[in-house]
Amino acid sequence: MFAGIKGWIYAIALLIAGGVALASGFQEAREHQAFSTQGKTARGLITEIEWKKKRGVSRGYKGTVEFQTAEGQHVTAKVKLPRKLGEALKNDDQLPLIELLYLPSQPTQVVVAGSTDDSGATKAVGAVLLLLGALLLWRKLAKRKPDPEVQETATA
């Protein structure tokens, strides 16, 4: 009984996950575009670093950074750190100054200067998940048994 339902659930889950990943990719692209067109540079001091450990591997490095805007405002913000920089900082006692980009309208939104735009990969994953979900849904719809009542009225 539940075997037929499982395929429908997978199809819907793939469609939802694909849509979320695709939307996330477009949001990342908009943010990267905002930093590249409106971003101001500043040198910031990393005061703290944190990371997640998954299966014994450190990943997801974030730092707390303090900097001063061009207008003289003192800002403390969280910044996602590239893996190489995060690993270097984790193993070093001295926390360095780094180049940042911040948005003047929202100075707590910060990225490390020179960060790459990874939104293309996120959008590609979302598109693949959507395609797989659509194919699975199409396959489930094509395999459905015709309703006997509809068949009887069609032949009558």
Side-chain angles (χ1 to χ4, degrees):
M1 177 178 165
F2 292 111
I5 295 174
K6 197 165 39 169
W8 290 102
I9 292 172
Y10 287 149
I12 292 168
L14 284 169
L15 289 171
I16 291 170
V20 168
L22 204 55
S24 176
F26 281 108
Q27 179 63 29
E28 285 177 36
R30 276 193 297 276
E31 287 174 3
H32 185 76
Q33 180 67 24
F35 279 110
S36 62
T37 58
Q38 305 164 17
K40 301 271 186 181
T41 58
R43 290 184 60 82
L45 175 67
I46 296 181
T47 58
E48 186 181 328
I49 182 171
E50 57 190 60
W51 61 90
K52 294 177 184 170
K53 204 167 199 172
K54 192 171 187 179
R55 295 186 196 116
V57 178
S58 297
R59 57 192 327 150
Y61 294 96
K62 289 185 182 178
T64 303
V65 66
E66 294 178 358
F67 65 97
Q68 195 167 7
T69 65
E71 295 77 28
Q73 179 184 2
H74 182 77
V75 178
T76 301
K78 293 275 188 188
V79 63
K80 182 179 174 184
L81 300 170
R83 192 186 62 168
K84 282 186 178 182
L85 178 60
E87 288 174 355
L89 292 172
K90 182 176 91 167
N91 300 324
D92 191 7
D93 291 337
Q94 291 184 330
L95 297 173
L97 289 171
I98 60 171
E99 289 290 320
L100 303 168
L101 283 175
Y102 70 93
L103 295 176
S105 59
Q106 297 173 323
T108 56
Q109 278 206 288
V110 181
V111 295
V112 174
S115 295
T116 57
D117 181 11
D118 298 330
S119 63
T122 307
K123 289 188 274 189
V125 167
V128 168
L129 291 174
L130 273 174
L131 180 63
L132 289 173
L135 285 173
L136 185 58
L137 188 63
W138 174 75
R139 188 169 160 236
K140 291 298 287 181
L141 287 171
K143 280 187 164 185
R144 280 182 48 185
K145 295 177 185 170
D147 191 4
E149 288 181 22
V150 174
Q151 246 182 356
E152 285 177 22
T153 56
T155 56

